[in-house]
Amino acid sequence: MDSIQSSMKGMMEGTHWEERYEAMKQAVWQDPRVQQFMKAHPEITENEMLRELTKLYHFTKEWSNCDACPGLDACPNTMQGYQPHLSLERSGLTLTYHPCKLKRKAEEESRRRNLIQSYSIPKDVLQATFQDISFEKGEAERNEAVTSALKFAREVEPGVDGRGLYLYGSFGIGKTFLAGAISNELAHRDISSMIIYVPDFFREMKQSVAEGTVQTKLDEVKDAEVLILDDLGAETMSGWVRDDILGVILQHRMLEKLPTIFTSNFDFQELEDHLAYSHKGGTERMKAKRIMERIRPSVQGLFLSGKNRRES
């Protein structure tokens, strides 16, 4: 991008520079923003303004770019996404730069994205909003679940109220997408969230035993303001994962009143059956019930009905 000096130099290069200078001066003088500034500061003389012609030319050139804005990514201004502002100081005219509306919006979106951590979650889920979720005729139960999820996202207070959500239903009905919309709604309230695809996370925790990083990863998940465990029940369950990973996470979050959101194809009883299964054979019903006592009382169950949207 051109500096103020190089912009002026380019204007003056070649023959007939006096004519160019006069044309530039008239263009600057006639610029409505410059006229407005001069009207607001009658104490500044024309000669003083002429001494600052380079700054004024740069000011008008940058604003002409903004008036014909090509979008933030294609912004031709010296400082991409920034607009110049004139002020009068003791030393003379001063140019300062402030982010434009598009730049501020992009920075705010980036800040909100940084409030959402994810593990093996598709990009479309991380970008989901409640505006993307339509209410369907004849799906009252689903519509009620979406309304309750929005209410949760707008009212939950981590550390004060630890009650979360349990979103369950068949395949492809939008449970994960709804969880992503909750994450983005929370980000608007400056509440951070972590959304994890459970099967991949549990596999990594098993691999972390050899690396000696189990506790570090466990602590990060345990302390998330709002934790979203996506597709609980789709993993291959083992006693160690159930008791030493899932159980520890849920116990800590229950004590600290940190909300957890679950998505699952299972209802509560089906999940208990899944947790009771031992890959070594037989069942461990009491241990499964212990985990369920950390889930069932701590969540509002929301059943999502409807068609498989992956097939439409």
Side-chain angles (χ1 to χ4, degrees):
M1 294 297 175
D2 292 339
S3 65
I4 297 177
Q5 290 78 11
S6 60
S7 295
M8 185 72 167
K9 181 181 177 183
M11 190 73 181
M12 294 297 102
E13 282 180 345
T15 58
H16 307 296
W17 69 267
E18 290 182 346
E19 290 88 342
R20 289 170 180 260
Y21 176 82
E22 187 61 31
M24 182 190 71
K25 186 177 75 171
Q26 291 303 318
V28 167
W29 242 239
Q30 293 169 12
D31 184 89
R33 292 184 178 89
V34 173
Q35 290 183 353
Q36 185 178 12
F37 181 81
M38 292 175 67
K39 186 176 181 180
H41 298 279
E43 69 274 20
I44 190 169
T45 66
E46 183 174 327
N47 286 335
E48 289 173 323
M49 293 287 281
L50 282 173
R51 286 197 295 268
E52 303 285 9
L53 193 59
T54 301
K55 287 181 183 177
L56 292 170
Y57 170 69
H58 184 78
F59 171 79
T60 58
K61 181 173 180 288
E62 299 262 288
W63 269 106
S64 68
N65 292 336
C66 292
D67 291 337
C69 178
L72 185 59
D73 291 340
C75 175
N77 280 359
T78 303
M79 296 174 62
Q80 192 174 58
Y82 285 81
Q83 297 169 325
H85 292 264
L86 277 174
S87 59
L88 184 60
E89 309 291 341
R90 288 188 177 182
S91 58
L93 290 182
T94 300
L95 282 181
T96 56
Y97 295 83
H98 305 285
C100 69
K101 180 174 65 176
L102 295 182
K103 180 70 172 177
R104 292 195 302 271
K105 181 179 179 182
E107 289 176 342
E108 179 63 15
E109 289 175 350
S110 176
R111 185 187 67 80
R112 287 174 182 162
R113 282 196 300 271
N114 289 335
L115 287 171
I116 303 174
Q117 294 177 273
S118 65
Y119 188 91
S120 299
I121 299 298
K123 185 177 180 181
D124 65 322
V125 171
L126 299 178
Q127 295 175 341
T129 69
F130 278 94
Q131 287 73 28
D132 299 322
I133 302 174
S134 59
F135 285 88
E136 305 290 344
K137 289 184 178 179
E139 295 187 8
E141 197 167 24
R142 173 189 174 80
N143 297 340
E144 184 178 341
V146 172
T147 301
S148 295
L150 177 59
K151 185 175 187 292
F152 167 87
R154 289 179 173 176
E155 295 179 358
V156 67
E157 295 184 40
V160 177
D161 178 8
R163 188 169 171 81
L165 298 175
Y166 189 83
L167 311 175
Y168 67 103
S170 190
F171 298 95
I173 58 173
K175 300 182 297 294
T176 302
F177 196 82
L178 180 56
I182 293 171
S183 284
N184 278 293
E185 191 69 26
L186 291 171
H188 280 275
R189 298 177 56 209
D190 290 334
I191 296 175
S192 63
S193 60
M194 179 182 291
I195 179 167
I196 291 172
Y197 180 60
V198 169
D200 282 356
F201 174 68
F202 285 166
R203 273 195 294 272
E204 178 163 322
M205 292 303 290
K206 291 175 183 176
Q207 295 168 1
S208 299
V209 174
E211 301 168 359
T213 58
V214 170
Q215 193 59 50
T216 300
K217 293 177 180 178
L218 198 57
D219 288 343
E220 185 178 5
V221 173
K222 282 164 49 179
D223 291 322
E225 271 196 289
V226 175
L227 176 64
I228 300 174
L229 295 177
D230 181 47
D231 217 358
L232 182 63
E235 73 288 337
T236 300
M237 186 56 66
S238 70
W240 178 77
V241 165
R242 180 193 60 212
D243 302 329
D244 296 327
I245 301 300
L246 181 60
V248 169
I249 290 171
L250 298 182
Q251 178 69 12
H252 175 83
R253 297 186 64 77
M254 182 176 67
L255 293 175
E256 297 299 320
K257 295 186 177 180
L258 296 173
T260 305
I261 299 171
F262 305 85
T263 78
S264 181
N265 294 327
F266 295 152
D267 62 22
F268 287 129
Q269 186 57 56
E270 290 169 334
L271 180 62
E272 182 175 325
D273 294 340
H274 171 74
L275 293 171
Y277 174 77
S278 172
H279 68 292
K280 295 180 181 179
T283 58
E284 296 178 319
R285 184 63 63 182
M286 289 306 297
K287 291 185 177 181
K289 286 183 179 295
R290 188 175 295 117
I291 297 297
M292 292 306 298
E293 281 304 304
R294 297 169 185 169
I295 297 177
R296 191 184 279 110
S298 302
V299 296
Q300 175 187 3
L302 298 178
F303 176 68
L304 269 75
S305 58
K307 61 184 180 181
N308 188 332
R309 283 158 171 77
R310 295 173 190 162
E311 297 176 351
S312 55

